[in-house]
Amino acid sequence: MATCSAYSTKEHLQVLNGFLAKSDGKDKLTALIQYACLFISAGEPGSIKKVQASVTAARKVFRVMRPLESITPLINQPGFAGNSPKLLQAINKLKAAFMAIYFGADHFVWAHQIGLITDKPTGERFQKLSLWSWALGSVCTIA
């Protein structure tokens, strides 16, 4: 039996990404329920809004390792390679970095929301970091 050190970082990341791919489908299903409830409730208080908030919290479990999943392409291929344009490769690397920051910061936002992080300015900073990282990662997707 091989020891843990016999495996490369790339092999560890491939196994981890395969595991995470299985939870991704569950995350997408709960996202569908979350946004359907948000649409139905129109943001107004009530039982549907409570379901939406509960499902939002439940999605965190499926997204625990998403920062690592998002940054894996940068770890596996840190430089530029192949025949595709360097600008396109740079945009894809920026997208991976921004999305990893978004998912990581979102975990801190969640920790603040449930009271694990009690400092309000810290929670607000992570909320802004999460929002800006998501926005910039989304812009990179469009480009």
Side-chain angles (χ1 to χ4, degrees):
M1 188 165 168
T3 64
C4 187
S5 62
Y7 296 105
S8 71
T9 302
K10 189 174 183 176
E11 290 170 327
H12 283 295
L13 289 172
Q14 287 173 339
V15 169
L16 185 59
N17 279 335
F19 174 73
L20 293 173
K22 293 176 184 173
S23 67
D24 194 43
K26 294 173 187 158
D27 179 45
K28 289 182 194 271
L29 176 63
T30 54
L32 175 67
I33 295 167
Q34 173 191 349
Y35 291 114
C37 289
L38 184 63
F39 178 75
I40 292 167
S41 74
E44 296 296 321
S47 53
I48 299 293
K49 180 69 176 161
K50 288 178 184 176
V51 170
Q52 184 263 331
S54 177
V55 171
T56 300
R59 284 186 69 201
K60 298 297 180 200
V61 174
F62 300 119
R63 304 175 98 188
V64 169
M65 297 300 288
R66 287 299 281 270
L68 179 62
E69 185 180 348
S70 297
I71 202 90
T72 298
L74 286 175
I75 295 170
N76 286 339
Q77 183 66 41
F80 299 110
N83 294 332
S84 63
K86 303 273 190 258
L87 179 61
L88 184 59
Q89 290 183 49
I91 290 171
N92 284 332
K93 290 181 185 305
L94 281 172
K95 174 190 169 193
F98 284 134
M99 294 312 286
I101 293 167
Y102 158 66
F103 286 121
D106 193 50
H107 291 330
F108 285 96
V109 170
W110 172 74
H112 179 258
Q113 289 172 341
I114 65 167
L116 291 176
I117 297 174
T118 56
D119 185 46
K120 187 175 181 178
T122 300
E124 290 172 352
R125 277 194 299 271
F126 277 110
Q127 202 166 22
K128 288 179 184 175
L129 178 62
S130 176
L131 176 66
W132 278 102
S133 298
W134 172 82
L136 292 170
S138 296
V139 167
C140 290
T141 302
I142 295 168

